[in-house]
Amino acid sequence: MTHFSKLLGASVLALSAGMATAQTDITVAIQLEPPNLDPTGGAAQAIDSVLYANVFEGLTRFMADGSVVPGLAESWDISEDGLTYTFHLREGVTFHDGTAMDAEDVKFSLDRARAEDSTNAQKGLFTDIAEVTVIDPQTVEVTLAQQNGNFLFNMAWGDAVIVALESIDTIASNPVGTGAFAFADWVQGDRIELTRNPDYWGTAPALETATFRFISDPTAAFAAVMAEDVDAFVGFPAPENLPQFEADPRFQVLIGNTEGETILSINNKQEPFDNPLVREAIAHAIDRDALIDGAMFGYGTPIGTHFAPHNPDYVDLLDNSPYDPDRARALLAEAGYGDGFSTTLKLPPPSYARRGGEIIAAQLRDIGIDAEISNLEWAQWIEEVFTNKDFDLSIVSHTEPMDIGVYANPDYYFQYDNPDFQDLMDTLNATTDPATRSDLLAQAQTMIAKDYVNGYLFQLSVPTVAKAGLTGLWVDQPTAAVDLTGVAWSE
């Protein structure tokens, strides 16, 4: 008995030691640093990359497979006419500062997002909201001006997360949400630190702390992962190095889809790009295969319109803009630019843009368009290109899910103003029948492709390199997020 007791005691001690050393922290690298930490007031993808689902939550949320499930609203009722959504909020939810999350916070968040002076980057998500009414602390009623078949989907976006009046003045630097992790620190230029929320209403995450590091240079990214200075790099910016990691048993390589339509953005109100013949010429000057091979080492799917190829409603419109430099030159001549012209190409930091920009500039030069490259930091790009519309051409990946509706906003940064398209999207928003919606989405994709609004390049893939023992990372990105709520280290 004594011998057995000793063995049992030794086993318990060994098990305890193993449990004590189980890793509960993570360091995740991403390429871009958020310019601020308010997902409801900024356009940068990097904000959601750090904060979506981790710190902030909405009434609904996206899961890894793209499905929309209940978030802060545990259920909802929809009126027979489809105009009134009654959300039943979860009990006992608090913000990280200890204040209660209730219907007043939902009303404040939605009213703020749709206000005239709203700085929400996706204000169009809230256009159909006519009124938000607090029924009681756990019940809020949202009345729409017209039916919107995408309303619950829209409420899952990072731009629609629920925020509190009490913390709104400092949200850009000290975000206070309801999520499984609370904001701890932001060392600008280096990292953001999160800690586990002990009062989280849902399932507690396995991780106790999480650090997001920002590494923009592809060479530095390779070095950091190889040296195991980071546990995972989501959106690894040097795809040429992926085979090396795949061959190394220390790592796992995940290749997933994103919602990121990578486009050559064109300022449709800027001469000579207000001429559709010039835009069409640019479309025929682009060799997508050469671009994907040269900038992405083959990782990416060619697109002919602003829509994700993995979506069942995607229409293949690549034949509308095949690579044909002779036709491109003829179109320029027809438009009155037979001798070509000079322009600017403003590029944000991601490697797909910087590397892709060099290739696109060479392809445009081949048809007589001399595009001078200007490399911008992310905050500069947001201010000059996105906000002030001070650009001719740019390259950026639009990572928001199902965002073809931005083409119905004439004030959006590429300034496409087509009343027919706007009417089409109004009809789509008011339509709930799936077959009719599919037909309308096909019309929408075709319209912008035939108007050559932008140069449609490729759907961005998301390569993630992680240590072998890490589980629960999203492979695909149905929205721009690094959701750590289900991430853990294997035993």
Side-chain angles (χ1 to χ4, degrees), residues 253-276:
V253 176
L254 311 173
I255 306 294
N257 292 318
T258 75
E259 293 296 315
E261 293 86 9
T262 307
I263 64 173
L264 176 67
S265 307
I266 301 175
N267 191 335
N268 280 231
K269 284 193 174 179
Q270 182 84 1
E271 291 185 2
F273 307 108
D274 55 348
N275 186 331

Side-chain angles (χ1 to χ4, degrees), residues 455-480:
Y456 302 109
L457 307 178
F458 58 88
Q459 196 72 12
L460 189 68
S461 64
V462 54
T464 295
V465 182
K467 290 181 180 176
L470 203 55
T471 65
L473 288 167
W474 281 11
V475 178
D476 298 323
Q477 283 197 347
T479 191

Side-chain angles (χ1 to χ4, degrees), residues 29-31 217-226 230 232-242 245 253-254 296 351 355 461-465:
I30 57 177
Q31 192 176 14
D217 179 69
T219 303
F222 172 77
V225 177
M226 187 58 70
V230 299
F233 202 122
V234 179
F236 186 72
E240 65 273 21
N241 296 135
L242 293 177
F245 290 115
V253 176
L254 311 173
M296 303 301 297
S351 56
R355 293 176 173 184
S461 64
V462 54
T464 295
V465 182

Side-chain angles (χ1 to χ4, degrees), residues 9-242:
S11 297
V12 170
L13 286 172
L15 180 60
S16 298
M19 291 176 64
T21 57
Q23 188 168 344
T24 57
D25 66 302
I26 190 173
T27 299
V28 179
I30 57 177
Q31 192 176 14
L32 299 179
E33 180 174 13
N36 66 72
L37 303 182
D38 178 9
T40 65
Q45 166 193 331
I47 303 174
D48 279 353
S49 293
V50 175
L51 301 178
Y52 184 88
N54 297 324
V55 173
F56 286 109
E57 300 172 301
L59 293 171
T60 59
R61 62 156 291 175
F62 294 112
M63 298 300 287
D65 61 358
S67 59
V68 175
V69 300
L72 293 176
E74 63 180 356
S75 65
W76 48 81
D77 304 312
I78 306 174
S79 63
E80 285 189 16
D81 62 7
L83 295 178
T84 302
Y85 288 70
T86 303
F87 291 98
H88 305 285
L89 306 180
R90 297 186 187 274
E91 298 274 357
V93 179
T94 58
F95 287 98
H96 298 142
D97 61 4
T99 59
M101 192 289 299
D102 58 24
E104 291 288 354
D105 296 301
V106 175
K107 176 176 172 57
F108 168 74
S109 299
L110 297 182
D111 284 348
R112 173 175 174 262
R114 67 194 185 95
E116 269 191 40
D117 60 351
S118 169
T119 60
N120 194 294
Q122 300 296 338
K123 193 174 176 180
L125 296 174
F126 314 95
T127 302
D128 288 335
I129 297 178
E131 187 176 8
V132 183
T133 305
V134 172
I135 304 301
D136 59 50
Q138 300 307 122
T139 312
V140 62
E141 184 179 274
V142 180
T143 303
L144 306 182
Q146 61 178 359
Q147 287 189 1
N148 188 326
N150 263 352
F151 184 64
L152 293 174
F153 183 91
N154 292 348
M155 292 300 99
W157 283 43
D159 307 80
V161 296
I162 303 305
V163 296
L165 172 63
E166 293 85 353
S167 60
I168 204 66
D169 289 342
T170 57
I171 188 173
S173 59
N174 183 31
V176 176
T178 59
F181 296 92
F183 171 76
D185 192 21
W186 181 14
V187 180
Q188 294 195 14
D190 183 34
R191 67 189 185 275
I192 288 175
E193 297 175 0
L194 308 179
T195 59
R196 185 162 61 191
N197 174 13
D199 301 316
Y200 184 52
W201 60 266
T203 302
L207 299 172
E208 292 183 2
T209 62
T211 300
F212 283 85
R213 284 185 56 194
F214 314 115
I215 305 175
S216 60
D217 179 69
T219 303
F222 172 77
V225 177
M226 187 58 70
E228 300 186 66
D229 292 337
V230 299
D231 300 312
F233 202 122
V234 179
F236 186 72
E240 65 273 21
N241 296 135
L242 293 177

Side-chain angles (χ1 to χ4, degrees), residues 397-440:
S397 191
H398 285 247
T399 55
E400 298 85 2
M402 277 285 290
D403 60 347
I404 195 170
V406 298
Y407 286 76
N409 178 6
D411 292 326
Y412 201 62
Y413 78 103
F414 44 69
Q415 302 189 91
Y416 173 60
D417 190 357
N418 183 341
D420 291 336
F421 187 87
Q422 294 156 25
D423 290 343
L424 181 64
M425 295 312 294
D426 284 342
T427 303
L428 174 68
N429 287 337
T431 300
T432 56
D433 176 66
T436 306
R437 286 182 60 83
S438 293
D439 179 64
L440 292 168

